[in-house]
Amino acid sequence: MRLLLALLLLTTAPLLAASPVIRIAVIDWCPQLCPQQEREGYILDLVREVYRPTEYRLQLDVYPWSRALAMVRQGKVDAVLSPARAEAPDLRFPRQEVGVQRMCFFVSRSDDWHYQTPQDLEGKQFGLARDTSLEELNPYVQSNPQQFQYQPYSERFIAQQVRKVLKGRIDAFLFTYNSTLFELNKIGAARQLKSAGCVTSADVYMAFSPAAGLEPRVNRMMTIFDQRMQQIKQTDLIGRVMGRYGLQDWRLSEQPDPIGMQ
């Protein structure tokens, strides 16, 4: 038995070593990306399905968000998961998205403020993760930087923003809806905060490096990604994968759950 195992290792090791690797910068952004947990998040599950029947192996490198963007821009990794186009327009984006995000405001449950239009933001202070896009609010943020307290995104971001809201240091913070509800439940703060309106949803992508010298490799990775994701969309796989995390296929809905408004 030991001899058989040794022979298997000897015969498969060269194959593994010869397989091309896609280095992917990822963040801790559950339930989309949970790279250090048994369930890795629905986006990572889908990316693994995309490349599973191909020659590629995936190597995950975990970074804070701003660092992940810097690594892919410099060509130190091949791709990053998973920005909206407005967050990193200089990266290379395939045609097919890998999910949807919706940025929402979160306030104390005792606060009756609710976002509907940019005018509702006047006189308020907000917490915001650095290098994130607010879609139609981007012009307002650029014109009124004094209203926004930026902080690098890390796994502690939401918990830190919750403390700021409860201590009155900010009126609200903005982050993706599914991730915030996931973390609020995890840290036991779901009864203390609520959603207070959202901005337009945006597709998110497996975005690739624009670095000089990587173009031939990246072209092939992107071509395979688009072909395989197009095939996956013809099946029920996206719904089944997202169902593992209590979510539905992003193509059906990304509307906030009414539970978040109670």
Side-chain angles (χ1 to χ4, degrees):
M1 184 66 181
R2 290 182 180 178
L3 177 60
L4 177 60
L5 179 59
L7 288 172
L8 285 172
L9 290 174
L10 286 172
T11 56
T12 58
L15 293 175
L16 289 174
S19 300
V21 174
I22 304 178
R23 289 191 59 186
I24 307 173
V26 298
I27 61 172
D28 191 330
W29 185 39
C30 285
Q32 290 81 206
L33 301 167
C34 318
Q36 297 170 319
Q37 298 185 30
E38 182 177 352
R39 287 191 173 182
E40 293 186 303
Y42 75 80
I43 285 180
L44 264 177
D45 288 351
L46 286 172
V47 170
R48 288 197 183 282
E49 286 293 332
V50 164
Y51 289 104
R52 179 178 53 79
T54 74
E55 73 269 29
Y56 287 106
R57 291 186 296 117
L58 305 185
Q59 176 182 322
L60 306 181
D61 298 327
V62 183
Y63 298 103
W65 181 234
S66 296
R67 180 63 175 158
L69 292 179
M71 293 293 284
V72 75
R73 285 182 175 122
Q74 296 165 12
K76 294 181 179 179
V77 296
D78 299 302
V80 62
L81 291 171
S82 43
R85 287 183 181 272
E87 289 176 308
D90 55 320
L91 301 184
R92 298 189 61 192
F93 288 83
R95 295 189 305 274
Q96 301 293 329
E97 79 282 8
V98 74
V100 170
Q101 70 177 18
R102 196 169 197 197
M103 299 292 291
C104 296
F105 293 87
F106 288 86
V107 300
S108 167
R109 285 192 177 267
S110 62
D111 192 338
D112 59 4
W113 179 83
H114 190 85
Y115 169 77
Q116 291 182 307
T117 70
Q119 287 70 36
D120 296 324
L121 305 182
E122 294 179 4
K124 300 287 186 178
Q125 284 288 309
F126 302 98
L128 182 63
R130 198 179 308 278
D131 293 319
T132 56
S133 174
L134 300 184
E135 302 306 315
E136 73 266 23
L137 285 186
N138 286 334
Y140 184 94
V141 174
Q142 292 169 4
S143 300
N144 299 275
Q146 73 283 357
Q147 289 184 247
F148 296 88
Q149 299 181 21
Y150 290 92
Q151 183 173 322
Y153 177 72
S154 70
E155 68 277 6
R156 300 183 300 276
F157 174 81
I158 294 174
Q160 291 168 336
Q161 297 303 304
V162 168
R163 288 195 292 270
K164 287 183 178 182
V165 167
L166 297 179
K167 291 181 179 180
R169 294 168 58 188
I170 56 176
D171 297 290
F173 70 90
L174 296 91
F175 200 61
T176 48
Y177 183 80
N178 285 334
S179 295
T180 303
L181 286 191
F182 181 90
E183 188 66 17
L184 291 180
N185 284 312
K186 180 179 175 181
I187 65 177
R191 294 181 179 273
Q192 296 173 287
L193 277 81
K194 63 182 179 181
S195 171
C198 305
V199 300
T200 304
S201 60
D203 291 339
V204 294
Y205 295 84
M206 180 175 181
F208 291 83
S209 176
L214 294 185
E215 185 173 357
R217 294 180 65 246
V218 165
N219 285 347
R220 176 160 174 74
M221 293 171 188
M222 289 178 62
T223 296
I224 290 175
F225 180 90
D226 276 329
Q227 290 174 346
R228 284 283 299 144
M229 183 56 77
Q230 185 66 39
Q231 293 169 0
I232 286 170
K233 285 182 176 180
Q234 306 307 312
T235 71
D236 64 350
L237 180 60
I238 293 175
R240 288 190 286 111
V241 167
M242 295 189 71
R244 300 170 191 165
Y245 301 88
L247 305 171
Q248 62 177 322
D249 188 327
W250 75 76
R251 297 169 298 174
L252 301 178
S253 174
E254 232 286 323
Q255 296 298 319
D257 187 325
I259 292 174
M261 300 299 298
Q262 295 177 355

